[in-house]
Amino acid sequence: MTTLTHHEPLNALLRRMPKAELHIHIEGSLEPELIFRLAQRNGVALKYESVEALRAAYAFKDLQSFLDIYYAGASVLLKEEDFFDMAWAYFERAAADNIVHAELFFDPQTHTERGVPFETVIRGLHHACQRAHQELGISSRLILCFLRHLSEEDAFRTLEQALPWRQYFIGVGLDSSERGHPPSKFERVFARCRDLGLHIVAHAGEEGPPEYIEEALDLLKVERIDHGVRCVEKPELVQRLVRERMPLTVCPLSNVKLRVFDRLSDHNLAALLEQGLVATVNSDDPAYFGGYLNQNFIELFEALPQLGAREAYQLALNSFEASFVERAAKDAWKQQLDHVFGAAL
Ligand code: ADE
Ligand code: ZN
């Protein structure tokens, strides 16, 4: 790696800097082409005639209208190799974006509900993680997400199914339809997960109110908030998040596609950083939202002129600091980052 020259465009720097991705639903990386290939391989019928017709349906009015299509897309995943192929395709994209570490969410209930064994899902994903480390030098971890539109009982059952594979995932999260499904619904499941030594995260304050962020902190005892952009509606909550150095995994292109913000130029990420929040940039469901991680950085920095090299450095550093890895790995990535930025800051 060479160091930054004074004239290197910001875009080149954003692409080149090492970074971690902490909010990526691996099922949301399933590109239409791969959906069609797997549908054919597995003899699954699709509602859409072509890749183009499927892609044309990706016009969402809110979170739920996206989730309906996202769960339908995942219906082509049946075999261990399907899960491997999906995750491997993501890791190849991640390598191109200079992602050195990724923490992948997966939604087991989307698959076990269709009769796919938990073992099939986790073996395929784990295999891709191993190969990404060997062949691409990317470190990764898996985080099991509970679907919040389903019951507490279903979440407990899923946790039981996952326990034989405890060493294959490092934490649990909470995703799917946020409104009407507050974190409190899963307080007991998360207490059990904490007893098991799992890391804890939850989606909160994407579409749901800031009170859901407070519940995630107080009841689930999360270590990161996924999204969290609606925290700004409660200044005392912002102060708390700053004080506790609670990371937010923010997903700019997702927020525009799901109409959390009308335009990227309305996004509050620059304001969050300005207020001292530990914000990170992530892709969420890149196959559905118009771009992988570097695309999120580039479009965001183009839309928000307050963001420059200093903020790029801070966001990359935050992604390492907020990751669930040992101190030595974080320090090594910071050194790589310092080398890329050189004397530019
Ligand atoms: N599942 C996949 N993407 C999600 C999002 N942005 N919010 C909630 N659940 C999700
Ligand atoms: Zn998400």
Side-chain angles (χ1 to χ4, degrees):
M1 267 185 260
T2 52
T3 52
L4 175 75
T5 69
H6 283 303
H7 304 293
E8 182 174 15
L10 189 54
N11 279 357
L13 183 62
L14 291 168
R15 288 185 203 283
R16 194 158 68 85
M17 67 182 188
K19 51 186 79 72
E21 175 146 64
L22 306 178
H23 185 160
I24 157 84
H25 301 264
I26 198 60
E27 293 90 348
S29 74
L30 200 50
E31 292 285 342
E33 289 78 6
L34 187 53
I35 291 179
F36 270 80
R37 191 147 61 79
L38 296 181
Q40 199 166 34
R41 190 159 92 186
N42 291 329
V44 175
L46 290 172
K47 228 174 75 181
Y48 300 90
E49 267 205 354
S50 63
V51 165
E52 293 69 33
L54 176 57
R55 216 183 277 280
Y58 293 180
F60 312 115
K61 67 176 183 2
D62 56 12
L63 175 57
Q64 192 59 51
S65 63
F66 155 68
L67 290 170
D68 294 341
I69 285 197
Y70 162 83
Y71 294 130
S75 69
V76 300
L77 298 159
L78 294 179
K79 307 264 170 44
E80 188 176 318
E81 65 176 322
D82 305 337
F83 291 92
F84 172 86
D85 289 347
M86 170 174 68
W88 182 251
Y90 167 72
F91 282 125
E92 288 189 311
R93 301 256 193 174
D97 280 358
N98 288 312
I99 290 174
V100 295
H101 176 72
E103 299 186 2
L104 313 186
F105 293 142
F106 68 109
D107 288 342
Q109 287 154 298
T110 301
H111 314 300
T112 53
E113 261 193 339
R114 299 180 289 113
V116 177
F118 185 92
E119 174 176 357
T120 301
V121 179
I122 197 131
R123 276 186 184 276
L125 297 178
H126 179 72
H127 181 199
C129 291
Q130 278 185 318
R131 191 158 150 202
H133 193 242
Q134 289 159 4
E135 294 188 18
L136 304 170
I138 298 177
S139 80
S140 61
R141 304 284 189 272
L142 295 173
I143 297 178
L144 183 166
C145 279
F146 298 112
L147 298 182
R148 67 203 303 161
H149 68 275
L150 299 178
S151 67
E152 179 197 42
E153 187 192 351
D154 208 306
F156 266 120
R157 196 163 39 239
T158 302
L159 182 58
E160 286 306 314
Q161 290 168 349
L163 284 185
W165 307 93
R166 168 67 186 85
Q167 74 279 17
Y168 283 53
F169 61 100
I170 58 152
V172 294
L174 187 64
D175 66 0
S176 192
S177 323
E178 187 180 7
R179 275 192 275 215
H181 302 284
S184 53
K185 181 175 165 186
F186 297 95
E187 185 174 358
R188 291 183 293 193
V189 183
F190 278 73
R192 171 93 177 100
C193 291
R194 291 198 308 278
D195 288 344
L196 290 163
L198 288 159
H199 285 289
I200 306 290
V201 299
H203 283 53
E206 176 187 19
E207 271 194 353
E211 287 72 24
Y212 283 19
I213 300 175
E214 293 173 324
E215 280 194 10
L217 296 169
D218 294 331
L219 304 181
L220 307 187
K221 308 197 189 303
V222 294
E223 298 160 79
R224 297 196 296 246
I225 295 283
D226 296 313
H227 294 292
V229 290
R230 287 193 59 191
C231 70
V232 294
E233 294 168 33
K234 262 197 159 178
E236 68 275 25
L237 173 57
V238 172
Q239 287 318 306
R240 176 180 179 186
L241 294 168
V242 170
R243 200 170 55 242
E244 297 182 4
R245 292 197 57 73
M246 179 61 57
L248 305 185
T249 63
V250 179
C251 307
L253 291 179
S254 164
N255 290 156
V256 174
K257 284 286 193 279
L258 301 187
R259 315 285 291 271
V260 175
F261 297 94
D262 289 337
R263 289 175 300 269
L264 213 43
S265 54
D266 297 330
H267 202 284
N268 65 8
L269 189 127
L272 297 175
L273 277 184
E274 174 70 22
Q275 291 177 79
L277 282 156
V278 185
T280 63
V281 171
N282 304 272
S283 70
D284 207 4
D285 300 284
Y288 293 89
F289 299 151
Y292 287 77
L293 188 50
N294 280 358
Q295 195 67 28
N296 271 270
F297 271 107
I298 286 164
E299 291 193 30
L300 183 75
F301 276 61
E302 272 171 10
L304 300 177
Q306 315 91 296
L307 297 177
R310 199 174 296 278
E311 287 75 21
Y313 177 89
Q314 188 65 55
L315 287 164
L317 184 61
N318 289 351
S319 75
F320 298 138
E321 287 299 323
S323 69
F324 295 137
V325 300
E326 61 288 356
R327 184 75 248 164
K330 295 182 186 187
D331 290 344
W333 292 326
K334 181 175 185 297
Q335 279 203 348
Q336 288 181 27
L337 189 63
D338 288 344
H339 184 71
V340 167
F341 279 77
L345 296 174

